[in-house]
Amino acid sequence: MPETQTEINKCVEILENGGLILYPTDTVWGIGCDATNEKAVEKVYQLKQRHDSKALICLVANDVMLEKHVEQVSDLAYDIIDLSTKPTTIIFDKPRGVAKNLIAEDNTLAIRVASDKFCKYMIGKFKKPIVSTSANISGQSTPKSFQNIDSAILKGVDYVVNLHREKQNSSASSIIRLANDGTVKIIRD
């Protein structure tokens, strides 16, 4: 695992300096940055050519980090996280401690507890949540493999992780909206 550790260290260095990384996630290749850094989040929106009213997903390393950035994590949320057979992103009410331009207009944030080992270790070492958005220009299709990533994205990030580039990624995560009042809505299956 020395190469993995080297990649993690490089990513953490870039993230700490407000830079963007391109990295393999538990779903598709993602563009990431420090989810608590408003300027870094703005760079992601610019790179994707996406309006910042369209919210981004955030990855955390574990339940403890999740609880730190959400006012209320229900038992149902833990059940979904523990029992899901595929990566599942949950939209939570009242996020806290993240960049303001990452929070949707209705005061929600989409968060996924990373299941990919590389992501878990990297986020754990960074000690803060990171943005995770598909590695494509807004409106274009999500690349299914590293080879399909647009050159504008590759050139627009500060670091490209040199692991799992041969991996054919499955699909985007499921997205479920869990309101604090108990309302559940499936956004993307």
Side-chain angles (χ1 to χ4, degrees), residues 11 15 61-62 76 79 88 90 93 98 104 107 113 119 126 128 135 144 152 178:
C11 287
L15 293 167
N62 50 44
L76 179 56
D79 289 345
T88 302
I90 299 174
D93 287 336
V98 296
N107 198 26
V113 177
C119 288
F126 183 53
K128 292 189 252 180
K144 295 291 183 194
L178 279 186

Side-chain angles (χ1 to χ4, degrees), residues 60-186:
V60 295
N62 50 44
D63 292 350
V64 172
M65 192 177 284
L66 173 64
E67 291 165 2
K68 183 178 176 184
H69 293 283
V70 176
E71 184 180 88
Q72 178 183 333
V73 182
S74 67
D75 289 341
L76 179 56
Y78 289 119
D79 289 345
I80 291 169
I81 292 165
D82 292 341
L83 301 173
S84 292
T85 56
K86 72 179 261 192
T88 302
T89 301
I90 299 174
I91 300 173
F92 291 95
D93 287 336
K94 299 181 181 173
R96 59 185 179 208
V98 296
K100 287 181 177 44
N101 56 345
L102 192 58
I103 299 170
E105 290 175 359
D106 63 354
N107 198 26
T108 61
L109 180 61
I111 302 177
R112 184 167 72 250
V113 177
S115 58
D116 175 81
K117 282 185 181 171
F118 174 78
C119 288
K120 283 178 98 65
Y121 291 142
M122 175 181 57
I123 298 164
K125 182 162 182 153
F126 183 53
K127 296 183 174 71
K128 292 189 252 180
I130 64 170
V131 165
S132 180
T133 183
S134 56
N136 61 304
I137 304 294
S138 193
Q140 295 180 357
S141 60
T142 300
K144 295 291 183 194
S145 68
F146 180 81
Q147 289 71 26
N148 301 125
I149 297 172
D150 189 294
S151 63
I153 298 292
L154 293 168
K155 291 175 189 163
V157 297
D158 299 293
Y159 187 69
V160 179
V161 171
N162 195 18
L163 294 173
H164 310 301
R165 290 189 179 181
E166 71 295 334
K167 178 178 153 184
Q168 292 292 318
N169 294 15
S170 53
S171 59
S173 66
S174 297
I175 299 179
I176 298 172
R177 167 88 168 87
L178 279 186
N180 284 351
D181 66 5
T183 307
V184 177
K185 181 178 180 185
I186 295 174

Side-chain angles (χ1 to χ4, degrees), residues 23 25 27 30-33 56-59 112 130-134:
Y23 65 107
T25 73
T27 57
I31 301 167
C33 72
L56 301 171
I57 290 174
C58 184
L59 289 182
R112 184 167 72 250
I130 64 170
V131 165
S132 180
T133 183
S134 56

Side-chain angles (χ1 to χ4, degrees), residues 17-20 38-48 158:
N17 289 301
L20 305 186
E38 206 165 320
K39 287 180 181 168
V41 172
E42 180 56 38
K43 288 182 196 175
V44 173
Y45 285 120
Q46 289 174 359
L47 179 59
K48 285 186 66 86
D158 299 293

